[in-house]
Amino acid sequence: MDLDNYRFPSHRLRLRQTDSNRVPLVLVACGSFSPITYLHLRMFEMANDYARINTNFEVVGGYLSPVSDAYKKAGLASSHHRLRMCELATEETSDWLMVDPWEAIQPAYMPTARVLDHFEHEINGVHGGVLSEDGTHRKPAKIMLLAGADLIGTMSAPGVWAEKDLDHILGSFGAMIVERSGTDMDEALASLKQWEDNIYVIHQMIQNDVSSTKIRLFLKRDMSIQYLIPEPVIRYIEQNRLYMDEDNSKPKDKQPETN
């Protein structure tokens, strides 16, 4: 896929609310997903529960947005591999999550603020928002970033994020942050006080610290990753021999196997 034949995925987006008293919410997770893990998927379920129980939001959709090859991160498999792994994971394990390839197929690195603008345009501009429960009017969906606590840690570090991007992400959109072991949330949030009303911290009731980095390490050591990531993704990694050699982190022209 390239930008010429790109189509925004909306096949699982609920374009009609079940409770008009709530604000429709779309969750967007940006990241490498190299490879996607059960924690990435579990974050959406935790956020959905949190929104339903603790807020006035009604989740109507969830998207994974993998970064493009221009991100140049160590251990980053080619975008077509990462997209396919995310698609396999969501197709097999969820009935409401989707994968948007728009960011992944960009020729240049796309800042998170621009990615959220893209979702705002597609959902509230092109689709016209979400219908109320009785179908009498449309409401704009709230687009919100979903991320792990490590991201908030980088946002609070001086010089890592542009101030205007932080203000756009946390001020205009907001974020749901899932706590992770090793991150001091109070310290991370201390320098983000001006946006605290738009940041929602989700506590993990069952601690899970699986990460893509650890999965890649297991693979390099020829160790089992069973039950850490979805089975279809494990098969795909094996079929395409991802993360087993150093050059697997570099983009390739070879198209992936899909079965």
Side-chain angles (χ1 to χ4, degrees), residues 177-228:
I177 305 299
V178 177
E179 68 170 1
R180 297 192 71 168
S181 58
T183 300
D184 186 330
M185 288 301 299
D186 291 336
E187 181 181 340
L189 293 170
S191 61
L192 304 174
K193 280 288 186 182
Q194 67 191 95
W195 302 292
E196 64 180 346
D197 290 341
N198 224 10
I199 300 174
Y200 303 84
V201 177
I202 304 169
H203 300 291
Q204 287 202 66
M205 297 180 69
I206 299 176
Q207 290 298 318
N208 182 347
D209 67 347
V210 66
S211 68
S212 300
T213 301
K214 291 176 181 177
I215 297 299
R216 295 195 302 271
L217 180 61
F218 275 35
L219 287 166
K220 288 182 182 298
R221 293 180 176 178
D222 196 26
M223 296 170 65
S224 171
I225 54 173
Q226 196 75 28
Y227 310 120
L228 294 175

Side-chain angles (χ1 to χ4, degrees), residues 25-230:
L25 174 67
V26 174
L27 298 165
V28 179
C30 300
S32 301
F33 305 112
S34 190
I36 187 170
T37 73
Y38 273 127
L39 180 55
H40 292 130
L41 300 169
R42 181 65 189 154
M43 283 170 55
F44 282 94
E45 295 296 327
M46 286 187 281
N48 192 14
D49 281 344
Y50 181 91
R52 178 173 51 83
I53 296 170
N54 300 291
T55 76
N56 194 41
F57 293 122
E58 177 185 355
V59 176
V60 296
Y63 288 90
L64 294 107
S65 180
V67 298
S68 74
D69 292 332
Y71 190 52
K72 302 295 184 185
K73 181 180 179 181
L76 192 70
S78 297
S79 59
H80 60 261
H81 284 311
R82 291 180 288 108
L83 279 170
R84 188 58 188 146
M85 286 187 284
C86 288
E87 289 168 352
L88 288 169
T90 54
E91 288 166 8
E92 294 283 342
T93 67
S94 175
D95 61 1
W96 65 283
L97 297 181
M98 293 160 281
V99 182
D100 183 16
W102 183 81
E103 181 183 1
I105 61 178
Q106 296 293 326
Y109 169 69
M110 193 60 57
T112 301
R114 287 279 306 280
V115 176
L116 296 177
D117 282 339
H118 158 73
F119 281 94
E120 176 77 29
H121 167 73
E122 292 288 349
I123 295 170
N124 291 326
V126 176
H127 283 86
V130 178
L131 274 172
S132 60
E133 183 181 2
D134 59 10
T136 59
H137 62 282
R138 289 186 172 275
K139 299 164 68 174
K142 173 79 170 175
I143 312 298
M144 191 173 290
L145 181 67
L146 174 64
D150 49 341
L151 181 72
I152 280 292
T154 67
M155 286 182 168
S156 62
V160 177
W161 291 72
E163 186 71 17
K164 64 180 181 62
D165 281 357
L166 275 183
D167 188 54
H168 194 50
I169 294 167
L170 299 178
S172 302
F173 295 104
M176 283 198 175
I177 305 299
V178 177
E179 68 170 1
R180 297 192 71 168
S181 58
T183 300
D184 186 330
M185 288 301 299
D186 291 336
E187 181 181 340
L189 293 170
S191 61
L192 304 174
K193 280 288 186 182
Q194 67 191 95
W195 302 292
E196 64 180 346
D197 290 341
N198 224 10
I199 300 174
Y200 303 84
V201 177
I202 304 169
H203 300 291
Q204 287 202 66
M205 297 180 69
I206 299 176
Q207 290 298 318
N208 182 347
D209 67 347
V210 66
S211 68
S212 300
T213 301
K214 291 176 181 177
I215 297 299
R216 295 195 302 271
L217 180 61
F218 275 35
L219 287 166
K220 288 182 182 298
R221 293 180 176 178
D222 196 26
M223 296 170 65
S224 171
I225 54 173
Q226 196 75 28
Y227 310 120
L228 294 175
I229 67 177

